[in-house]
Amino acid sequence: MLIDLFPGAPRRVELPASTTKEMIDGLDARWPGMRDRICDSRPAIRRHMNVFVDGERATLETRLAPGTEVFILTAISGG
């Protein structure tokens, strides 16, 4: 979903970051407006967005070790 909103953004990016917040800030520096799509004004990760670090749901404070894989997914609902 984010790829469609930010033309030219690759599906895989490597960024230096020690928390998910720093990672999202790094994404926003490269593609302005991306933070607003992932985070709300509290700030927190939006309810309809899922951020996973090593397979576990993350918050903005989740620590990232070097080489950690992070996945950002849009929640899908339906009936």
Side-chain angles (χ1 to χ4, degrees), residues 52-63:
F52 293 96
V53 174
D54 291 331
E56 299 290 326
R57 193 159 188 166
T59 67
L60 292 177
E61 295 79 27
T62 301
R63 304 288 301 164

Side-chain angles (χ1 to χ4, degrees), residues 2-34:
L2 291 173
I3 299 301
D4 295 337
L5 297 172
F6 297 92
R11 292 188 176 275
R12 184 178 178 100
V13 177
E14 291 189 27
L15 292 171
S18 61
T19 64
T20 52
K21 180 187 180 313
E22 285 181 16
M23 179 207 63
I24 292 169
D25 289 345
L27 291 172
D28 193 65
R30 291 184 185 190
W31 299 283
M34 193 172 284

Side-chain angles (χ1 to χ4, degrees), residues 36-79:
D36 294 335
R37 296 294 181 162
I38 300 170
C39 298
D40 60 23
S41 61
R42 290 182 274 164
I45 297 170
R46 290 185 180 277
R47 285 185 3 185
H48 69 278
M49 299 299 290
N50 295 299
V51 178
F52 293 96
V53 174
D54 291 331
E56 299 290 326
R57 193 159 188 166
T59 67
L60 292 177
E61 295 79 27
T62 301
R63 304 288 301 164
L64 303 178
T68 298
E69 286 193 330
V70 179
F71 294 90
I72 302 173
L73 306 168
T74 304
I76 299 178
S77 63

